Amino acid sequence: AVMTMNGGTIAGNTASHNGGAVYAYGSTVNVVSGTIGESGNANTATDGGGIYLAGVNNDAAVHISGGAISYNTAAGRGAGVYAANDHSTVSVSSSGEISYNTASGNGGGVFVANASILNMSGGRIVSNTASMGAAVMMDYGAAQFAMSAGEISLNTAGSADGGAINTNDLSTINLSGTAVIRNNPSSGEGQKNVVLAYDTNFIINTSGLSSGANIGIYVTGDNVSPYTGHGLAGKPFGFMTASDAANLNLFVNDRNTSLTGTYHEGSDYV
């Protein structure tokens, strides 16, 4: 089944479990214009206050090329969109927006679970709130996020190491083009944009970054934490193509913004 939204508003709906406004099982939702949710008249659910994607075999998707998923709430996770099952796809492009959604748990804008995929080639994910992953939470398996353009900013995490984008150790983030992930506040300590809580080289991958990109990185831990080893020999936080060596200054250390990415160990960056 395919649902296409070309205007209007879906708001004020409540689900006792999942999918406050839309529950898409093995279906495709196209948001071209209009809004799902509105100020003072939220869609609410346990998970997926705005849209909940479910299904198997890559058969559930939402494409947001215009309009907005805004002002939805979740008692659990994924206030804007929850992508639940293997290879569900969420895409944000053009003027599409996911904004002002609030999750009591994790994933204010989008919760990406179980090898689901979030693609962002434009649009904005802004002003969402959650405990962790205020804009995007990646959890429960090998979730994927690819961003080539657009903006993720002004998302606020309530947890001390919550961040705008939060990952597990199996997640991958692929950055290219003019991706901007900056100016996302977090409880207790300045900006926390992309939060890395796992000591692995493979979460962040880059290919074809251009000069308009700007990405903040926050590594959890303190002076005795193993994560502070990032930046030393053998402790990079990602993998890049050779063409990106000149653009590593587009990565900024959220703890010390005078520090930017540097080339190290062949194809790794730190």
Side-chain angles (χ1 to χ4, degrees):
V2 177
M3 169 189 166
T4 299
M5 186 172 184
N6 278 303
T9 300
I10 302 173
N13 300 286
T14 300
S16 58
H17 294 292
N18 303 325
V22 178
Y23 186 105
Y25 185 89
S27 302
T28 297
V29 179
N30 298 310
V31 181
V32 180
S33 64
T35 60
I36 295 179
E38 64 182 357
S39 179
N41 197 22
N43 300 295
T44 65
T46 300
D47 293 334
I51 299 174
Y52 187 95
L53 296 178
V56 294
N57 299 324
N58 200 26
D59 60 356
V62 56
H63 305 295
I64 306 163
S65 60
I69 314 298
S70 300
Y71 297 103
N72 301 287
T73 63
R77 302 154 297 184
V81 180
Y82 189 110
N85 291 85
D86 285 356
H87 304 294
S88 293
T89 300
V90 180
S91 67
V92 183
S93 63
S94 190
S95 62
E97 182 170 301
I98 299 174
S99 58
Y100 299 102
N101 301 287
T102 300
S104 297
N106 301 330
V110 185
F111 193 101
V112 189
N114 299 324
S116 291
I117 301 164
L118 170 61
N119 292 315
M120 189 170 182
S121 59
R124 304 194 309 158
I125 302 178
V126 297
S127 300
N128 301 284
T129 60
S131 177
M132 301 178 71
V136 179
M137 184 72 194
M138 305 168 68
D139 207 353
Y140 304 136
Q144 302 174 55
F145 174 37
M147 184 177 183
S148 60
E151 174 189 355
I152 296 177
S153 64
L154 303 177
N155 301 282
T156 303
S159 174
D161 286 331
I165 299 176
N166 206 296
T167 70
N168 68 13
D169 59 336
L170 298 176
S171 304
T172 55
I173 300 174
N174 299 297
L175 298 168
S176 62
T178 57
V180 174
I181 309 171
R182 293 292 294 155
N183 300 317
N184 294 283
S186 193
S187 176
E189 187 182 0
Q191 289 189 38
K192 293 180 182 176
N193 293 288
V194 179
V195 171
L196 300 177
Y198 295 89
D199 197 10
T200 172
N201 296 3
F202 302 109
I203 291 177
I204 294 181
N205 302 271
T206 75
S207 178
L209 280 175
S210 62
S211 60
N214 192 337
I215 301 140
I217 302 292
Y218 183 92
V219 178
T220 63
D222 53 31
N223 290 334
V224 298
S225 167
Y227 306 131
T228 56
H230 284 288
L232 302 178
K235 296 288 185 180
F237 62 61
F239 191 84
M240 69 172 210
T241 57
S243 62
D244 285 319
N247 290 322
L248 291 182
N249 64 326
L250 304 175
F251 290 90
V252 178
N253 186 323
D254 285 337
R255 284 183 159 169
N256 182 347
T257 56
S258 67
L259 300 176
T260 59
T262 56
Y263 187 65
H264 179 68
E265 292 192 346
S267 295
D268 294 325
Y269 64 82
V270 297

